[in-house]
Amino acid sequence: MALPPLRPTPHLTPLLAPEEEIIYTAQLHPLHGIGWLAFAVLFFAMMRLHLVFLLPCAVCVSIYLIPFKTNEVAVTTHRLLLRMGRFRLAYNDIEPDDLNHWQFYQNPITNVLGGGAIILNLDKGAEVIPLRMPHLRHPLKFIEALGTLNPAFRGGRR
């Protein structure tokens, strides 16, 4: 399976070490935050009654679009870099040895549309921390890219 072309990661690129390169960039599926888009469509339809519904429509569209502009996920030759969140952005640097195993979830709708959710379980000392990544586009390609970091991780469990 060939990996898709890289997407720009302007906030993660400065964090790369000199010999490090990005090999895969994950992106959110359009179903991420679909409730906000549904409210925007509702307010847009209500604008036929009164123009006052333009503001809530614009707010809902903005809240829907924020994660697509701010979230960045990059698998590099050495680690996994994440910048995730809607209003509070969190940066994570995950080393290959911290990747314990993964879980993949998909319903019939996301299966047809090429999306899914992944939970990465990370070893942090004595505890295992789940990292949820909902609504990823092409999630199995993301797992394939993570397999290049840690070959034992490719099997799902070690």
Side-chain angles (χ1 to χ4, degrees):
M1 243 191 299
L3 295 176
L6 298 177
R7 299 191 42 89
T9 55
H11 297 94
L12 295 180
T13 304
L15 301 175
L16 297 177
E19 69 282 350
E20 192 174 18
E21 293 181 25
I22 295 176
I23 58 174
Y24 180 79
T25 52
Q27 51 186 309
L28 290 176
H29 197 275
L31 290 178
H32 182 75
I34 195 73
W36 290 107
L37 191 59
F39 277 120
V41 169
L42 176 69
F43 287 127
F44 184 77
M46 292 172 66
M47 278 193 321
R48 297 182 79 194
L49 300 174
H50 200 280
L51 201 56
V52 74
F53 293 108
L54 176 65
L55 180 62
C57 177
V59 169
C60 290
V61 167
S62 298
I63 291 174
Y64 170 74
L65 292 176
I66 285 172
F68 295 99
K69 190 71 175 161
T70 59
N71 288 358
E72 297 175 6
V73 178
V75 179
T76 70
T77 52
H78 295 87
R79 59 194 167 154
L80 171 64
L81 293 172
L82 301 164
R83 179 180 189 243
M84 296 177 63
R86 188 176 301 262
F87 296 112
R88 285 189 189 181
L89 293 171
Y91 286 82
N92 287 313
D93 172 15
I94 300 168
E95 296 295 326
D97 294 339
D98 292 343
L99 296 171
N100 184 344
H101 67 277
W102 53 269
Q103 298 167 339
F104 172 61
Y105 298 99
Q106 199 174 41
N107 62 35
I109 295 171
T110 55
N111 183 23
V112 170
L113 298 175
I118 292 178
I119 299 176
L120 298 175
N121 291 314
L122 309 173
D123 283 333
K124 294 291 184 181
E127 62 181 320
V128 175
I129 300 172
L131 175 66
R132 297 181 182 276
M133 302 180 75
H135 302 113
L136 282 182
R137 182 179 282 180
H138 307 297
L140 293 179
K141 290 190 185 272
F142 176 70
I143 295 296
E144 178 186 353
L146 284 178
T148 62
L149 287 176
N150 187 348
F153 182 70
R154 178 169 232 138
R157 291 193 184 265
R158 316 191 237 184

